[in-house]
Amino acid sequence: MSAHHHDHHHSGERIGFAFFLNFIFTIIEFVGGVLTNSTSIMADAVHDLGDTLAIGLGWLLDKSGRKSADHRFTYGYRRLSLLGALLNGAILVIINPATKYVGFRASSLLRIKAWLAAKGDSLSKSHNAETGQA
């Protein structure tokens, strides 16, 4: 049987490459959203920024986790990558309901505005019909 080897140094480089690629794409998407005045592109850019920050946190803690043991951390820093996974998971658990709340409030406000606009249009047509205006 052959031994199974992991080359963790290269995985860190790949995470760094993914971070910078995602970061550059996020900037391009922000600029595109501003130039086209598109809220959907800007919203996706914010989403991509969150992904970039998560990848960056994982990359930073992966690099920090390679430090060897010292008098303070006798096991070493290897568990920092686990901390990164825990933090990313906690952030998702917190942000998911917050995002849904903001979206629900925004859609509720849009429905109220649409209802008021329709009611105002209806009142205006009723008033015009009563006064004989077109």
Side-chain angles (χ1 to χ4, degrees):
M1 278 183 125
S2 66
H4 184 77
H5 296 284
H6 291 283
D7 193 354
H8 294 283
H9 177 67
H10 290 297
S11 68
E13 289 175 0
R14 283 185 235 132
I15 293 172
F17 179 73
F19 169 78
F20 284 112
L21 191 64
N22 206 5
F23 182 69
I24 290 167
F25 183 75
T26 300
I27 291 171
I28 291 169
E29 199 167 26
F30 267 122
V31 170
V34 169
L35 292 177
T36 60
N37 198 25
S38 172
T39 54
S40 62
I41 293 174
M42 293 294 288
D44 193 51
V46 171
H47 170 106
D48 289 342
L49 179 62
D51 291 345
T52 301
L53 293 174
I55 293 169
L57 178 65
W59 183 37
L60 175 71
L61 291 175
D62 181 61
K63 285 181 77 156
S64 300
R66 295 177 198 278
K67 290 175 23 180
S68 31
D70 57 20
H71 71 286
R72 186 168 177 202
F73 295 101
T74 56
Y75 180 73
Y77 293 82
R78 286 178 266 177
R79 291 185 178 149
L80 285 177
S81 62
L82 181 61
L83 177 64
L86 179 67
L87 286 173
N88 278 328
I91 289 168
L92 287 174
V93 166
I94 292 167
I95 288 186
N96 188 349
T99 304
K100 287 181 181 178
Y101 173 75
V102 169
F104 177 75
R105 282 193 43 118
S107 67
S108 296
L109 289 173
L110 288 175
R111 283 190 294 239
I112 291 169
K113 286 180 181 179
W115 181 81
L116 288 173
K119 202 61 157 159
D121 189 45
S122 169
L123 290 173
S124 175
K125 286 179 182 177
S126 172
H127 174 73
N128 289 344
E130 289 175 8
T131 60
Q133 297 174 352

